[in-house]
Short mmCIF file of all heavy atoms in Angstrom, two decimals:
data_model
loop_
_atom_site.label_atom_id
_atom_site.label_comp_id
_atom_site.label_asym_id
_atom_site.label_seq_id
_atom_site.Cartn_x
_atom_site.Cartn_y
_atom_site.Cartn_z
N ARG A 9 -223.67 81.16 -111.56
CA ARG A 9 -224.84 81.96 -111.84
C ARG A 9 -226.08 81.42 -111.15
O ARG A 9 -227.02 82.17 -110.95
CB ARG A 9 -225.09 82.01 -113.33
CG ARG A 9 -224.09 82.92 -113.97
CD ARG A 9 -224.64 83.45 -115.23
NE ARG A 9 -223.56 83.95 -116.03
CZ ARG A 9 -223.47 83.73 -117.32
NH1 ARG A 9 -224.39 83.01 -117.91
NH2 ARG A 9 -222.48 84.24 -117.99
N ARG A 26 -240.00 91.30 -112.82
CA ARG A 26 -239.38 90.14 -113.45
C ARG A 26 -240.29 88.94 -113.34
O ARG A 26 -241.06 88.82 -112.39
CB ARG A 26 -238.03 89.82 -112.81
CG ARG A 26 -236.96 90.82 -113.06
CD ARG A 26 -236.65 90.92 -114.54
NE ARG A 26 -235.44 91.66 -114.78
CZ ARG A 26 -235.26 92.93 -114.46
NH1 ARG A 26 -236.21 93.58 -113.86
NH2 ARG A 26 -234.14 93.54 -114.73
N ARG A 442 -226.42 38.36 -125.93
CA ARG A 442 -226.33 39.27 -124.80
C ARG A 442 -227.44 39.04 -123.80
O ARG A 442 -228.48 38.46 -124.12
CB ARG A 442 -226.45 40.71 -125.29
CG ARG A 442 -225.38 41.11 -126.22
CD ARG A 442 -225.40 42.59 -126.41
NE ARG A 442 -225.06 42.92 -127.77
CZ ARG A 442 -223.97 42.54 -128.38
NH1 ARG A 442 -223.08 41.79 -127.75
NH2 ARG A 442 -223.74 42.86 -129.62
N ARG A 733 -238.52 80.69 -137.65
CA ARG A 733 -239.17 81.88 -138.20
C ARG A 733 -240.43 82.22 -137.42
O ARG A 733 -240.79 83.38 -137.27
CB ARG A 733 -239.50 81.65 -139.67
CG ARG A 733 -238.48 82.26 -140.56
CD ARG A 733 -238.96 82.44 -141.96
NE ARG A 733 -240.04 81.55 -142.33
CZ ARG A 733 -240.33 81.25 -143.59
NH1 ARG A 733 -239.59 81.75 -144.55
NH2 ARG A 733 -241.32 80.46 -143.87
N ASN A 743 -241.95 93.48 -130.75
CA ASN A 743 -241.19 94.73 -130.88
C ASN A 743 -242.10 95.87 -131.31
O ASN A 743 -242.01 96.99 -130.79
CB ASN A 743 -240.06 94.58 -131.91
CG ASN A 743 -238.89 93.77 -131.36
OD1 ASN A 743 -238.82 93.53 -130.15
ND2 ASN A 743 -238.01 93.33 -132.23
N LYS A 862 -243.67 92.02 -158.12
CA LYS A 862 -242.33 91.69 -157.62
C LYS A 862 -241.24 92.60 -158.15
O LYS A 862 -240.57 93.27 -157.39
CB LYS A 862 -242.01 90.24 -157.96
CG LYS A 862 -242.69 89.31 -156.99
CD LYS A 862 -242.29 87.88 -157.18
CE LYS A 862 -243.03 87.02 -156.17
NZ LYS A 862 -243.20 85.66 -156.64
P A B 15 -236.82 81.33 -144.86
OP1 A B 15 -238.23 80.94 -144.69
OP2 A B 15 -235.77 80.30 -144.90
"O5'" A B 15 -236.66 82.23 -146.17
"C5'" A B 15 -237.58 83.30 -146.38
"C4'" A B 15 -237.09 84.14 -147.50
"O4'" A B 15 -235.84 84.78 -147.14
"C3'" A B 15 -236.75 83.39 -148.79
"O3'" A B 15 -237.92 83.12 -149.54
"C2'" A B 15 -235.83 84.38 -149.48
"O2'" A B 15 -236.55 85.43 -150.08
"C1'" A B 15 -235.03 84.92 -148.30
N9 A B 15 -233.79 84.18 -148.09
C8 A B 15 -233.57 83.08 -147.31
N7 A B 15 -232.33 82.64 -147.33
C5 A B 15 -231.70 83.51 -148.20
C6 A B 15 -230.37 83.61 -148.66
N6 A B 15 -229.41 82.76 -148.29
N1 A B 15 -230.07 84.60 -149.52
C2 A B 15 -231.03 85.44 -149.90
N3 A B 15 -232.31 85.47 -149.53
C4 A B 15 -232.58 84.47 -148.67
P U B 17 -239.96 77.86 -153.56
OP1 U B 17 -240.26 76.48 -153.15
OP2 U B 17 -238.77 78.53 -152.98
"O5'" U B 17 -239.81 77.93 -155.15
"C5'" U B 17 -240.09 76.76 -155.92
"C4'" U B 17 -240.77 77.15 -157.20
"O4'" U B 17 -241.92 77.99 -156.92
"C3'" U B 17 -239.97 78.04 -158.15
"O3'" U B 17 -238.95 77.34 -158.82
"C2'" U B 17 -241.09 78.52 -159.09
"O2'" U B 17 -241.40 77.57 -160.06
"C1'" U B 17 -242.25 78.68 -158.11
N1 U B 17 -242.54 80.12 -157.81
C2 U B 17 -243.70 80.66 -158.32
O2 U B 17 -244.48 80.01 -158.99
N3 U B 17 -243.90 81.99 -158.03
C4 U B 17 -243.08 82.81 -157.32
O4 U B 17 -243.40 83.98 -157.15
C5 U B 17 -241.89 82.19 -156.83
C6 U B 17 -241.66 80.89 -157.08
P A B 25 -235.37 91.11 -132.90
OP1 A B 25 -236.30 91.65 -131.90
OP2 A B 25 -234.38 91.99 -133.56
"O5'" A B 25 -234.62 89.88 -132.25
"C5'" A B 25 -233.32 90.03 -131.77
"C4'" A B 25 -232.78 88.64 -131.51
"O4'" A B 25 -232.68 87.93 -132.77
"C3'" A B 25 -231.38 88.65 -130.94
"O3'" A B 25 -231.44 88.75 -129.53
"C2'" A B 25 -230.85 87.31 -131.42
"O2'" A B 25 -231.34 86.24 -130.64
"C1'" A B 25 -231.44 87.25 -132.82
N9 A B 25 -230.60 87.90 -133.82
C8 A B 25 -230.84 89.07 -134.51
N7 A B 25 -229.87 89.40 -135.35
C5 A B 25 -228.95 88.40 -135.20
C6 A B 25 -227.69 88.15 -135.80
N6 A B 25 -227.15 88.97 -136.71
N1 A B 25 -227.00 87.05 -135.42
C2 A B 25 -227.55 86.25 -134.50
N3 A B 25 -228.72 86.36 -133.86
C4 A B 25 -229.37 87.46 -134.26
P G B 38 -222.06 94.00 -115.00
OP1 G B 38 -220.91 93.16 -114.67
OP2 G B 38 -221.87 95.41 -115.32
"O5'" G B 38 -222.95 93.34 -116.13
"C5'" G B 38 -222.46 92.81 -117.35
"C4'" G B 38 -223.49 91.87 -117.91
"O4'" G B 38 -223.19 90.52 -117.48
"C3'" G B 38 -224.91 92.16 -117.41
"O3'" G B 38 -225.50 93.04 -118.35
"C2'" G B 38 -225.55 90.77 -117.33
"O2'" G B 38 -226.07 90.28 -118.55
"C1'" G B 38 -224.34 89.90 -116.97
N9 G B 38 -224.16 89.68 -115.54
C8 G B 38 -224.28 90.54 -114.49
N7 G B 38 -224.01 90.01 -113.34
C5 G B 38 -223.67 88.71 -113.66
C6 G B 38 -223.27 87.63 -112.85
O6 G B 38 -223.13 87.62 -111.63
N1 G B 38 -223.03 86.48 -113.60
C2 G B 38 -223.15 86.38 -114.95
N2 G B 38 -222.86 85.20 -115.47
N3 G B 38 -223.51 87.36 -115.72
C4 G B 38 -223.76 88.49 -115.02
P A B 39 -227.00 93.20 -118.80
OP1 A B 39 -227.43 92.12 -119.70
OP2 A B 39 -227.08 94.59 -119.24
"O5'" A B 39 -227.82 93.10 -117.43
"C5'" A B 39 -228.86 92.14 -117.26
"C4'" A B 39 -230.09 92.82 -116.70
"O4'" A B 39 -229.70 93.78 -115.68
"C3'" A B 39 -230.88 93.66 -117.70
"O3'" A B 39 -231.72 92.87 -118.50
"C2'" A B 39 -231.67 94.55 -116.74
"O2'" A B 39 -232.74 93.87 -116.15
"C1'" A B 39 -230.61 94.87 -115.69
N9 A B 39 -229.87 96.08 -116.04
C8 A B 39 -228.57 96.20 -116.48
N7 A B 39 -228.21 97.44 -116.71
C5 A B 39 -229.35 98.19 -116.40
C6 A B 39 -229.61 99.57 -116.43
N6 A B 39 -228.72 100.48 -116.81
N1 A B 39 -230.84 99.96 -116.07
C2 A B 39 -231.74 99.05 -115.71
N3 A B 39 -231.60 97.72 -115.62
C4 A B 39 -230.37 97.36 -115.99
P C B 83 -227.00 44.10 -137.58
OP1 C B 83 -226.32 42.97 -138.21
OP2 C B 83 -228.37 43.99 -137.07
"O5'" C B 83 -226.06 44.64 -136.41
"C5'" C B 83 -226.48 45.76 -135.63
"C4'" C B 83 -225.62 45.83 -134.38
"O4'" C B 83 -225.73 44.58 -133.68
"C3'" C B 83 -224.13 46.02 -134.67
"O3'" C B 83 -223.53 46.69 -133.56
"C2'" C B 83 -223.60 44.61 -134.67
"O2'" C B 83 -222.23 44.52 -134.36
"C1'" C B 83 -224.44 44.02 -133.52
N1 C B 83 -224.56 42.58 -133.57
C2 C B 83 -224.06 41.85 -132.49
O2 C B 83 -223.54 42.46 -131.55
N3 C B 83 -224.16 40.50 -132.50
C4 C B 83 -224.74 39.91 -133.53
N4 C B 83 -224.81 38.59 -133.49
C5 C B 83 -225.25 40.62 -134.64
C6 C B 83 -225.14 41.95 -134.63
#
Side-chain angles (χ1 to χ4, degrees):
Chain A
R9 285 205 199 137
R26 291 298 192 298
R442 298 192 216 304
R733 262 198 336 201
N743 285 347
K862 281 186 180 154

